[in-house]
């Protein structure tokens, strides 16, 4: 048999054929596999393919054979990513505000290549991106990578930080000066990426939205804040800060109707202790930053949740209620 022009790529093409053209619902006969290899410039026969299949199985490819009548059909069984897992990834990519619309589409196209040609269509039916609110900062994708690089090398970073004005223009904060921060972690909250780092000048932990950073660079200075971040609980930090607005953490007591127990546990975790106050209510102590976002969250739960302590937080809530009355009555 004359060798094909791509004979040395035979095993790679076999992997591609099994990955893209077979799944639990679609299989190929030996002749169909030979035909597809020939279309790729590779010659093969049944005897050598049996040996090739054995080598691929030894490598870890889950090739399944099934007898149907007089023919044997072959398909790929388990995969690195199963279809339900890919659907979850696609949903995450298309929902993420920090990824631009164009980048979302490109990422999803890459995820589609991990499924078979037939399963790919199911992923395509999930792609409903256009019209969603997405970031317009195209550098976010690279910013995340740069921050992870700095964390891995234990180096500091510098960047400009901006906010939007009423005309939709970027206005640099900090009077246009560079921020210099020791990066320690990235977190994803309310569909945005945040950098959590140590500000040596202020000697405290701060967080910044990654999509509002520009001119981000890793600098050759050792990362600081080791003692500050020793024992730091990122999950607790996220629960404490509502809407990622900073401030002083405070222990706040809430009185809640019993049907609000699930809401409290969902927000603050299963380790939360609920203290029954009467047959219809319970109290709970939570550590939060009492910001406008926190007060708004409490009000959104209706009359079933009330702040009862400490007194200074109750007064802040009263001030917020009076402000709303002045604005709307």
């Amino acid at each position: 048999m004359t060798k094909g022009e791509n004979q040395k790529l035979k095993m790679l093409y076999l992997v591609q054929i099994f990955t893209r053209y077979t799944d639990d619902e679609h299989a190929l006969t030996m002749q169909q596999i030979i035909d597809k290899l020939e279309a790729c410039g590779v010659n093969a026969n049944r005897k050598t393919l049996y040996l090739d299949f054995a080598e691929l199985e030894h490598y870890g490819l889950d090739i399944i054979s099934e007898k149907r009548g007089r023919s044997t059909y072959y398909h790929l069984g388990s995969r690195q990513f199963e279809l339900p897992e890919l659907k979850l990834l696609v949903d995450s990519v298309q929902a993420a505000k920090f990824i631009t619309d164009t980048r979302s589409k490109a990422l999803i196209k890459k995820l589609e290549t991990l499924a078979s040609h037939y399963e790919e269509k199911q992923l395509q039916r999930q792609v409903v991106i256009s019209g969603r609110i997405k970031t317009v900062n195209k550098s976010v994708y690279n910013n995340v990578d740069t921050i992870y690089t700095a964390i891995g090398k234990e180096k500091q970073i510098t960047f400009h930080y901006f906010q939007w004005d009423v005309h939709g223009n970027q206005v640099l904060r900090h009077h246009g000066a560079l921020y210099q921060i020791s990066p320690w972690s990235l977190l994803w909250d309310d569909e945005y990426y945040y950098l959590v780092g140590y500000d040596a000048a202020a000697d405290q932990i701060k967080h910044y939205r990654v999509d509002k950073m520009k001119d981000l660079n890793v600098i050759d200075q050792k990362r600081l804040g080791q003692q500050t971040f020793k024992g730091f609980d990122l999950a607790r930090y996220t629960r404490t800060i509502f809407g990622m607005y900073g401030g002083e953490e405070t222990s706040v007591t809430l009185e809640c109707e019993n049907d609000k127990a699930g809401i409290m546990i969902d927000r603050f975790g299963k380790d939360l202790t609920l203290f029954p106050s009467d047959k219809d209510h319970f109290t709970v102590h939570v550590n939060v930053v009492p910001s406008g976002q926190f007060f708004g969250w409490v009000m959104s739960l209706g009359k079933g949740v009330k702040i009862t302590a400490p007194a200074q937080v109750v007064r802040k809530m009263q001030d917020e209620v009076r402000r709303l009355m002045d604005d709307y009555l």
Side-chain angles (χ1 to χ4, degrees), residues 203-250:
D203 188 25
Q204 66 183 69
I205 296 173
K206 292 186 178 181
H207 57 266
Y208 306 87
R209 254 179 56 180
V210 176
D211 61 302
K212 291 187 175 182
M213 295 177 178
K214 59 190 305 183
D215 309 317
L216 178 64
N217 285 296
V218 180
I219 61 174
D220 192 22
Q221 292 189 30
K222 184 71 175 177
R223 184 175 64 177
L224 304 175
Q226 283 82 356
Q227 287 301 314
T228 304
F229 272 88
K230 189 176 182 180
F232 178 73
D233 187 338
L234 185 62
R236 182 177 179 277
Y237 182 80
T238 307
R239 290 195 302 267
T240 300
I241 300 180
F242 279 73
M244 298 309 294
Y245 282 82
E248 184 178 350
E249 183 179 323
T250 307

Side-chain angles (χ1 to χ4, degrees), residues 96-134:
K97 290 182 179 179
F98 66 88
I99 307 177
T100 64
D101 190 62
T102 300
R103 181 69 74 171
S104 290
K105 291 176 181 176
L107 277 173
I108 291 171
K109 290 299 292 182
K110 292 179 180 180
L111 288 172
E112 289 172 1
T113 65
L114 299 175
S116 74
H117 172 72
Y118 312 99
E119 292 175 334
E120 175 185 321
K121 296 176 182 177
Q122 296 186 49
L123 297 178
Q124 290 171 350
R125 286 201 294 270
Q126 291 201 350
V127 181
V128 188
I129 297 175
S130 298
R132 288 196 175 194
I133 299 174
K134 305 285 281 186

Side-chain angles (χ1 to χ4, degrees), residues 147-164:
I147 292 169
Y148 273 127
T149 298
I151 292 173
K153 293 182 176 180
E154 298 188 354
K155 298 293 185 181
Q156 296 185 40
I157 59 172
T158 60
F159 56 88
H160 284 115
Y161 202 54
F162 68 84
Q163 61 187 10
W164 298 103

Side-chain angles (χ1 to χ4, degrees), residues 166-183:
V166 295
H167 304 292
N169 299 316
Q170 295 179 3
V171 179
L172 294 182
R173 303 183 66 174
H174 206 43
H175 303 292
L178 282 171
Y179 287 69
Q180 184 169 331
I181 300 295
S182 295

